[in-house]
Amino acid sequence: MKKMQRMTYLDCAKGVAIILVVLGHIDMGNNPLNNWIYSFHMPLFFVLSGMLMAYKNNCLSTGLWVNVKKRSVQLLYPYFTFSLITLIWLVVDQLKHGHADANFIIQVIIDTLSLDGYGAIWFLPALLMAEIFFLMIFRGHKRSILLVGCLVLLTSVSGMYLQVAIPLERDLLTTYLERFYNMFNRSLIGTVFIWFGYSLFGKLEKAATGANKPGLIILGIVMFVANFFLAQSNPSVDLHYSVLNNPVLYYVCALLGTVSTLLFFKFILPNNRVLEYFGRNSMIIMGTQSIVPLTEISKNILGMTGMSFERYSYDVMICILSMIMNVVMIELINRFFPYILRRVPFREFTVNAG
């Protein structure tokens, strides 16, 4: 029971992260709220992955291939199942509207097979690659700070190059080479955050047994405020495309945002059933983002009410409606299609259903 209690704050933090993903996709414009969200919400997923690896406490001692095989199944299986469902959805939607863009469909297939991903599920292969890099780079190395410093420098320089190179018109080969380079770079950025989470977990657990809880809560508040205001000085960042703008500010804001979130859920709200529920089902929410247009449906529902909202309150209301509908998606998949996530083998599911 104690073991489960220690982990709920990580589920809650992941729940907040996936809600921020939904909220960030509602209004992609450059505004204070989005600047804050994008400054840390994807790094938080990587940090949480590192913390869970530290919690299991066996990833660096067991064989590399064992870990790679296990995580490949856990991450790539739902990646391809959600990608297939998305592809079918896009084809049906285009045919329904009387136009089929073959080039677009081919592009989605190429993105899927190359592990670049279509929509929010780009994160799943990126997480797998980042975890593999972490296991390869930090296995048996004591000078991890030096290695992390090298990764930060490399990804910062690469991010500045990609920020200039990707928007340019290039030949097809160069375009795809740069896209693969971006996949490699964003995974290395994720590796930095995984290392941070792996290193942070033990310290945070040790701090929880001490008597300095008020001080840590105050520290979390200060870090949250600092993250919000510093994020406004480094707008329009996007880990998906390795857009860091100012790399120093990017890494600083990401660490401030993730640590303040973790401190909040560790010491103030370690148990919240709603956030824990969304955290444990974050992969379903991420996988269905490109399939069912919940944001557009929510906007239509809100428009039917005839009510007027301020900009941010409107975005929040859309997010709330989307998350409520996400509950329906989660329950449908968990109850009737669990094999999408490989929680139940398809053959076993069909036998039991019969």
Side-chain angles (χ1 to χ4, degrees):
M1 195 70 182
K2 182 180 180 182
K3 183 176 179 180
M4 290 299 295
Q5 189 174 4
R6 286 177 57 190
M7 299 302 294
T8 54
Y9 78 98
L10 298 182
D11 287 324
C12 290
K14 190 185 292 185
V16 165
I18 196 63
I19 290 173
L20 291 179
V21 168
V22 175
L23 183 58
H25 286 170
I26 292 172
D27 181 1
M28 303 295 288
N30 182 7
N31 59 69
L33 180 61
N34 262 28
N35 292 340
W36 171 69
I37 290 173
Y38 276 78
S39 73
F40 79 101
H41 74 320
M42 296 314 296
L44 178 56
F45 279 109
F46 287 106
V47 170
L48 289 168
S49 176
M51 296 181 75
L52 288 171
M53 292 171 78
Y55 177 74
K56 295 172 184 176
N57 200 31
N58 63 353
C59 62
L60 293 182
S61 58
T62 55
L64 175 63
W65 174 243
V66 174
N67 284 292
V68 171
K69 183 180 179 181
K70 180 180 178 181
R71 291 299 284 161
S72 295
V73 172
Q74 290 175 342
L75 295 173
L76 292 186
Y77 182 92
Y79 168 77
F80 281 112
T81 54
F82 278 123
S83 295
L84 177 60
I85 295 170
T86 300
L87 182 62
I88 295 172
W89 174 276
L90 291 173
V91 171
V92 171
D93 184 62
Q94 288 197 354
L95 292 176
K96 185 177 67 175
H97 289 88
H99 68 280
D101 189 344
N103 291 330
F104 173 70
I105 298 301
I106 292 172
Q107 184 63 58
V108 173
I109 294 173
I110 293 173
D111 290 344
T112 299
L113 295 178
S114 65
L115 302 184
D116 195 16
Y118 176 79
I121 53 174
W122 66 266
F123 172 75
L124 298 182
L127 177 60
L128 175 62
M129 292 171 64
E131 290 184 355
I132 293 173
F133 290 153
F134 172 77
L135 294 172
M136 293 174 61
I137 295 172
F138 294 99
R139 181 181 296 270
H141 287 279
K142 295 182 178 179
R143 297 181 179 179
S144 57
I145 295 292
L146 179 61
L147 290 172
V148 168
C150 292
L151 286 179
V152 169
L153 180 61
L154 173 63
T155 54
S156 298
V157 174
S158 298
M160 287 186 286
Y161 163 74
L162 289 167
Q163 190 169 347
V164 175
I166 286 181
L168 299 176
E169 292 292 334
R170 304 294 186 94
D171 61 87
L172 192 61
L173 177 61
T174 304
T175 299
Y176 276 103
L177 285 175
E178 287 173 346
R179 289 182 65 180
F180 279 114
Y181 185 55
N182 173 52
M183 290 168 56
F184 179 80
N185 191 66
R186 71 191 181 201
S187 296
L188 284 178
I189 296 172
T191 303
V192 174
F193 294 123
I194 287 176
W195 170 85
F196 180 77
Y198 189 90
S199 305
L200 177 67
F201 181 76
K203 296 177 176 61
L204 195 58
E205 291 299 302
K206 185 177 180 180
T209 62
N212 198 27
K213 179 179 175 180
L216 290 171
I217 293 174
I218 293 173
L219 175 63
I221 294 172
V222 171
M223 295 177 80
F224 169 81
V225 174
N227 171 43
F228 182 85
F229 285 101
L230 284 175
Q232 310 313 317
S233 301
N234 195 39
S236 303
V237 299
D238 192 343
L239 181 54
H240 184 191
Y241 300 105
S242 297
V243 177
L244 310 184
N245 288 337
N246 184 322
V248 175
L249 272 180
Y250 178 80
Y251 277 107
V252 169
C253 286
L255 296 182
L256 287 172
T258 55
V259 174
S260 62
T261 302
L262 291 167
L263 288 175
F264 176 82
F265 287 107
K266 182 64 178 177
F267 297 108
I268 298 179
L269 193 66
N271 296 287
N272 182 283
R273 290 186 178 181
V274 174
L275 294 177
E276 186 181 347
Y277 174 83
F278 287 131
R280 290 184 175 181
N281 294 283
S282 58
M283 189 179 291
I284 295 177
I285 299 173
M286 195 173 290
T288 56
Q289 282 285 292
S290 303
I291 303 172
V292 184
L294 297 183
T295 297
E296 294 303 316
I297 295 173
S298 300
K299 288 179 180 179
N300 291 334
I301 292 174
L302 206 60
M304 292 170 60
T305 65
M307 301 173 65
S308 60
F309 298 90
E310 296 295 331
R311 178 176 183 177
Y312 294 119
S313 59
Y314 175 79
D315 290 348
V316 170
M317 287 299 299
I318 295 297
C319 183
I320 292 173
L321 288 174
S322 297
M323 295 310 296
I324 291 172
M325 285 185 283
N326 267 308
V327 173
V328 177
M329 298 297 298
I330 290 168
E331 293 303 314
L332 282 174
I333 290 175
N334 282 334
R335 292 173 183 269
F336 301 107
F337 308 101
Y339 49 83
I340 291 177
L341 301 173
R342 207 175 182 274
R343 290 175 177 169
V344 176
F346 181 73
R347 181 179 298 178
E348 178 183 335
F349 175 79
T350 53
V351 170
N352 291 337

